[in-house]
Amino acid sequence: MRFQIFPRWCALSVCLGVCAMPAAGAAVEFAFGGEILYAGPELSAYDSGAVVGSRFSGRIHYETDGVEDSVPLDPAVGEYASPGYISVELGTHTELASQISVLVANDHPEGDDGFSARGADVSVSRGLSIAHLLVSLYDPTRSALDSDALPTSIALSDFNSAFVEVSLENFDVVWHGEIDTFFAVPEPATGGMLALLAIVTCFPRTCGRRS
């Protein structure tokens, strides 16, 4: 008599080891969503489905490995040019910025705590000409962030204001929206638990059976 427990135990051990290790590559991604508060004539003429009150959703993705603060001597401000993208879906089209810069302000003596991701030379799924795509979160109490490093997690509830603003080359606003959801993707605890559950349940329940 022998018990067939090794395959399940081995898989469980491997999964626990993998889930406990830090992610390689240090890629960070946030998902966000909200409501359009202002839609300029350019947007209305281009996409009749993107109007005040309609929803938008998007993602910010950037790398942290090898990305350095361009103002390292300023302890309150971090500026980073990172490989990544910002994408926003609204109405019937998508807006995508493939090169982004990130500004992080922490305990700045002349301003708020803040996180801003800006994309330039934005491509749009059907050809609308957009120059700037900005996602910003601000906290006037200056308690939302712990440092000016690139954040790997952000709690929207720590910020007083969060918005998306899209503008032309001359900074005329095409549309502006308020963000009401913002979270890391995947959320670390959820991702680990789902991976563990998937591996454990995919093996047959052979523990305690005779061969």
Side-chain angles (χ1 to χ4, degrees):
M1 178 191 305
R2 59 190 176 90
F3 296 96
Q4 302 290 329
I5 64 172
F6 180 77
R8 181 186 290 263
W9 174 251
C10 181
L12 178 61
S13 300
V14 170
C15 179
L16 288 174
V18 169
C19 293
M21 295 190 329
V28 177
E29 185 163 310
F30 297 107
F32 60 88
E35 181 178 315
I36 297 176
L37 300 183
Y38 168 79
E42 296 88 359
L43 181 64
S44 301
Y46 172 75
D47 186 347
S48 60
V51 297
V52 172
S54 60
R55 300 287 299 178
F56 63 84
S57 62
R59 301 251 174 153
I60 300 171
H61 180 101
Y62 56 77
E63 303 288 334
T64 60
D65 278 0
V67 178
E68 297 183 356
D69 184 354
S70 64
V71 285
L73 298 181
D74 189 338
V77 175
E79 294 184 13
Y80 306 90
S82 172
Y85 63 85
I86 306 172
S87 66
V88 182
E89 295 182 5
L90 69 159
T92 60
H93 73 280
T94 301
E95 299 168 357
L96 175 66
S98 58
Q99 292 294 326
I100 68 171
S101 59
V102 178
L103 176 69
V104 182
N106 175 61
D107 295 337
H108 196 284
E110 299 178 2
D112 308 335
D113 272 14
F115 168 86
S116 295
R118 180 185 295 276
D121 298 322
V122 183
S123 63
V124 183
S125 54
R126 296 205 317 262
L128 177 65
S129 178
I130 290 175
H132 309 283
L133 173 54
L134 175 68
V135 180
S136 290
L137 295 82
Y138 292 103
D139 167 39
T141 70
R142 295 189 287 184
S143 60
L145 299 172
D146 296 325
S147 76
D148 67 349
L150 276 172
T152 57
S153 64
I154 288 178
L156 181 62
S157 58
D158 291 339
F159 292 85
N160 177 263
S161 173
F163 63 87
V164 176
E165 190 165 278
V166 174
S167 59
L168 304 176
E169 186 66 39
N170 63 359
F171 291 99
D172 283 352
V173 176
V174 176
W175 69 272
H176 175 100
E178 181 179 23
I179 294 172
D180 54 29
T181 60
F182 195 101
F183 54 90
V185 180
E187 295 178 278
T190 303
M193 288 303 296
L194 289 175
L196 175 61
L197 180 63
I199 291 183
V200 171
T201 56
C202 74
F203 282 85
R205 298 181 179 277
T206 54
C207 182
R209 295 180 184 174
R210 297 179 182 181
S211 61

PDB file of all heavy atoms in Angstrom, residues 3 16 31 68-69 81 92 102 109 127 135 159 163 178 206:
ATOM      1  N   PHE A   3       0.562   5.743  -0.719  1.00  0.00           N
ATOM      2  CA  PHE A   3      -0.338   6.875  -0.904  1.00  0.00           C
ATOM      3  C   PHE A   3       0.207   7.804  -1.977  1.00  0.00           C
ATOM      4  O   PHE A   3       1.384   8.154  -1.956  1.00  0.00           O
ATOM      5  CB  PHE A   3      -0.499   7.635   0.417  1.00  0.00           C
ATOM      6  CG  PHE A   3      -1.150   6.813   1.478  1.00  0.00           C
ATOM      7  CD1 PHE A   3      -0.386   6.125   2.418  1.00  0.00           C
ATOM      8  CD2 PHE A   3      -2.532   6.704   1.525  1.00  0.00           C
ATOM      9  CE1 PHE A   3      -0.983   5.366   3.385  1.00  0.00           C
ATOM     10  CE2 PHE A   3      -3.130   5.939   2.502  1.00  0.00           C
ATOM     11  CZ  PHE A   3      -2.370   5.265   3.439  1.00  0.00           C
ATOM     12  N   LEU A  16       3.985  27.636  -3.697  1.00  0.00           N
ATOM     13  CA  LEU A  16       4.250  28.503  -2.556  1.00  0.00           C
ATOM     14  C   LEU A  16       5.577  29.214  -2.716  1.00  0.00           C
ATOM     15  O   LEU A  16       5.705  30.387  -2.391  1.00  0.00           O
ATOM     16  CB  LEU A  16       4.240  27.687  -1.265  1.00  0.00           C
ATOM     17  CG  LEU A  16       2.848  27.213  -0.800  1.00  0.00           C
ATOM     18  CD1 LEU A  16       3.002  26.293   0.399  1.00  0.00           C
ATOM     19  CD2 LEU A  16       1.949  28.386  -0.461  1.00  0.00           C
ATOM     20  N   ALA A  31      -4.966  49.788 -13.136  1.00  0.00           N
ATOM     21  CA  ALA A  31      -6.201  49.973 -13.891  1.00  0.00           C
ATOM     22  C   ALA A  31      -6.996  51.096 -13.237  1.00  0.00           C
ATOM     23  O   ALA A  31      -6.971  51.258 -12.016  1.00  0.00           O
ATOM     24  CB  ALA A  31      -7.017  48.680 -13.907  1.00  0.00           C
ATOM     25  N   GLU A  68      15.797  55.561 -13.434  1.00  0.00           N
ATOM     26  CA  GLU A  68      16.386  56.430 -12.412  1.00  0.00           C
ATOM     27  C   GLU A  68      15.659  57.771 -12.331  1.00  0.00           C
ATOM     28  O   GLU A  68      15.128  58.275 -13.316  1.00  0.00           O
ATOM     29  CB  GLU A  68      17.870  56.665 -12.717  1.00  0.00           C
ATOM     30  CG  GLU A  68      18.705  55.391 -12.679  1.00  0.00           C
ATOM     31  CD  GLU A  68      20.183  55.661 -12.919  1.00  0.00           C
ATOM     32  OE1 GLU A  68      20.517  56.842 -13.196  1.00  0.00           O
ATOM     33  OE2 GLU A  68      20.978  54.717 -12.828  1.00  0.00           O
ATOM     34  N   ASP A  69      15.672  58.325 -11.144  1.00  0.00           N
ATOM     35  CA  ASP A  69      15.113  59.647 -10.889  1.00  0.00           C
ATOM     36  C   ASP A  69      16.005  60.693 -11.568  1.00  0.00           C
ATOM     37  O   ASP A  69      17.211  60.740 -11.323  1.00  0.00           O
ATOM     38  CB  ASP A  69      15.072  59.872  -9.375  1.00  0.00           C
ATOM     39  CG  ASP A  69      14.424  61.190  -8.983  1.00  0.00           C
ATOM     40  OD1 ASP A  69      14.109  61.988  -9.874  1.00  0.00           O
ATOM     41  OD2 ASP A  69      14.252  61.404  -7.770  1.00  0.00           O
ATOM     42  N   ALA A  81      11.441  58.743 -16.618  1.00  0.00           N
ATOM     43  CA  ALA A  81      11.064  58.398 -17.979  1.00  0.00           C
ATOM     44  C   ALA A  81      11.154  56.878 -18.076  1.00  0.00           C
ATOM     45  O   ALA A  81      12.249  56.311 -18.005  1.00  0.00           O
ATOM     46  CB  ALA A  81      11.991  59.063 -18.990  1.00  0.00           C
ATOM     47  N   THR A  92     -16.387  54.964 -28.415  1.00  0.00           N
ATOM     48  CA  THR A  92     -16.116  53.854 -29.336  1.00  0.00           C
ATOM     49  C   THR A  92     -14.658  53.799 -29.762  1.00  0.00           C
ATOM     50  O   THR A  92     -14.331  53.173 -30.760  1.00  0.00           O
ATOM     51  CB  THR A  92     -17.003  53.992 -30.592  1.00  0.00           C
ATOM     52  OG1 THR A  92     -16.705  55.243 -31.248  1.00  0.00           O
ATOM     53  CG2 THR A  92     -18.480  53.962 -30.233  1.00  0.00           C
ATOM     54  N   VAL A 102       6.722  59.898 -15.505  1.00  0.00           N
ATOM     55  CA  VAL A 102       6.002  59.853 -14.237  1.00  0.00           C
ATOM     56  C   VAL A 102       6.624  60.865 -13.283  1.00  0.00           C
ATOM     57  O   VAL A 102       7.851  60.910 -13.125  1.00  0.00           O
ATOM     58  CB  VAL A 102       6.044  58.444 -13.608  1.00  0.00           C
ATOM     59  CG1 VAL A 102       5.327  58.429 -12.259  1.00  0.00           C
ATOM     60  CG2 VAL A 102       5.422  57.414 -14.549  1.00  0.00           C
ATOM     61  N   PRO A 109       7.308  71.033  -0.042  1.00  0.00           N
ATOM     62  CA  PRO A 109       7.001  72.209   0.786  1.00  0.00           C
ATOM     63  C   PRO A 109       6.077  73.211   0.103  1.00  0.00           C
ATOM     64  O   PRO A 109       5.454  74.040   0.778  1.00  0.00           O
ATOM     65  CB  PRO A 109       8.377  72.815   1.064  1.00  0.00           C
ATOM     66  CG  PRO A 109       9.259  72.305  -0.023  1.00  0.00           C
ATOM     67  CD  PRO A 109       8.746  70.935  -0.340  1.00  0.00           C
ATOM     68  N   GLY A 127      -7.783  58.075 -35.473  1.00  0.00           N
ATOM     69  CA  GLY A 127      -7.101  59.205 -36.080  1.00  0.00           C
ATOM     70  C   GLY A 127      -7.282  60.571 -35.477  1.00  0.00           C
ATOM     71  O   GLY A 127      -6.782  61.550 -36.032  1.00  0.00           O
ATOM     72  N   VAL A 135      -2.696  61.478 -16.474  1.00  0.00           N
ATOM     73  CA  VAL A 135      -3.426  60.863 -15.364  1.00  0.00           C
ATOM     74  C   VAL A 135      -2.797  61.369 -14.073  1.00  0.00           C
ATOM     75  O   VAL A 135      -1.590  61.185 -13.857  1.00  0.00           O
ATOM     76  CB  VAL A 135      -3.355  59.325 -15.421  1.00  0.00           C
ATOM     77  CG1 VAL A 135      -4.116  58.714 -14.243  1.00  0.00           C
ATOM     78  CG2 VAL A 135      -3.905  58.804 -16.745  1.00  0.00           C
ATOM     79  N   PHE A 159      -6.078  59.874  -1.732  1.00  0.00           N
ATOM     80  CA  PHE A 159      -5.963  61.096  -2.524  1.00  0.00           C
ATOM     81  C   PHE A 159      -7.278  61.863  -2.541  1.00  0.00           C
ATOM     82  O   PHE A 159      -8.364  61.277  -2.541  1.00  0.00           O
ATOM     83  CB  PHE A 159      -5.528  60.767  -3.955  1.00  0.00           C
ATOM     84  CG  PHE A 159      -4.126  60.236  -4.045  1.00  0.00           C
ATOM     85  CD1 PHE A 159      -3.876  58.886  -3.848  1.00  0.00           C
ATOM     86  CD2 PHE A 159      -3.060  61.080  -4.317  1.00  0.00           C
ATOM     87  CE1 PHE A 159      -2.572  58.384  -3.916  1.00  0.00           C
ATOM     88  CE2 PHE A 159      -1.773  60.592  -4.393  1.00  0.00           C
ATOM     89  CZ  PHE A 159      -1.521  59.235  -4.187  1.00  0.00           C
ATOM     90  N   PHE A 163      -7.837  62.520 -11.673  1.00  0.00           N
ATOM     91  CA  PHE A 163      -8.488  62.839 -12.937  1.00  0.00           C
ATOM     92  C   PHE A 163      -7.642  62.406 -14.127  1.00  0.00           C
ATOM     93  O   PHE A 163      -6.439  62.147 -14.010  1.00  0.00           O
ATOM     94  CB  PHE A 163      -8.776  64.341 -13.034  1.00  0.00           C
ATOM     95  CG  PHE A 163      -7.543  65.214 -13.040  1.00  0.00           C
ATOM     96  CD1 PHE A 163      -6.882  65.517 -14.222  1.00  0.00           C
ATOM     97  CD2 PHE A 163      -7.048  65.735 -11.856  1.00  0.00           C
ATOM     98  CE1 PHE A 163      -5.746  66.319 -14.230  1.00  0.00           C
ATOM     99  CE2 PHE A 163      -5.918  66.544 -11.849  1.00  0.00           C
ATOM    100  CZ  PHE A 163      -5.266  66.831 -13.035  1.00  0.00           C
ATOM    101  N   GLU A 178     -13.165  62.500 -14.144  1.00  0.00           N
ATOM    102  CA  GLU A 178     -12.827  62.197 -12.758  1.00  0.00           C
ATOM    103  C   GLU A 178     -12.644  60.697 -12.581  1.00  0.00           C
ATOM    104  O   GLU A 178     -13.478  59.903 -13.032  1.00  0.00           O
ATOM    105  CB  GLU A 178     -13.922  62.691 -11.819  1.00  0.00           C
ATOM    106  CG  GLU A 178     -13.624  62.439 -10.345  1.00  0.00           C
ATOM    107  CD  GLU A 178     -14.719  62.959  -9.430  1.00  0.00           C
ATOM    108  OE1 GLU A 178     -15.870  63.108  -9.901  1.00  0.00           O
ATOM    109  OE2 GLU A 178     -14.429  63.217  -8.249  1.00  0.00           O
ATOM    110  N   THR A 206      -5.879  12.227  -5.355  1.00  0.00           N
ATOM    111  CA  THR A 206      -5.387  10.865  -5.179  1.00  0.00           C
ATOM    112  C   THR A 206      -4.867  10.620  -3.776  1.00  0.00           C
ATOM    113  O   THR A 206      -4.432   9.522  -3.458  1.00  0.00           O
ATOM    114  CB  THR A 206      -4.252  10.567  -6.172  1.00  0.00           C
ATOM    115  OG1 THR A 206      -3.254  11.576  -6.022  1.00  0.00           O
ATOM    116  CG2 THR A 206      -4.788  10.587  -7.595  1.00  0.00           C
TER     117      THR A 206
END
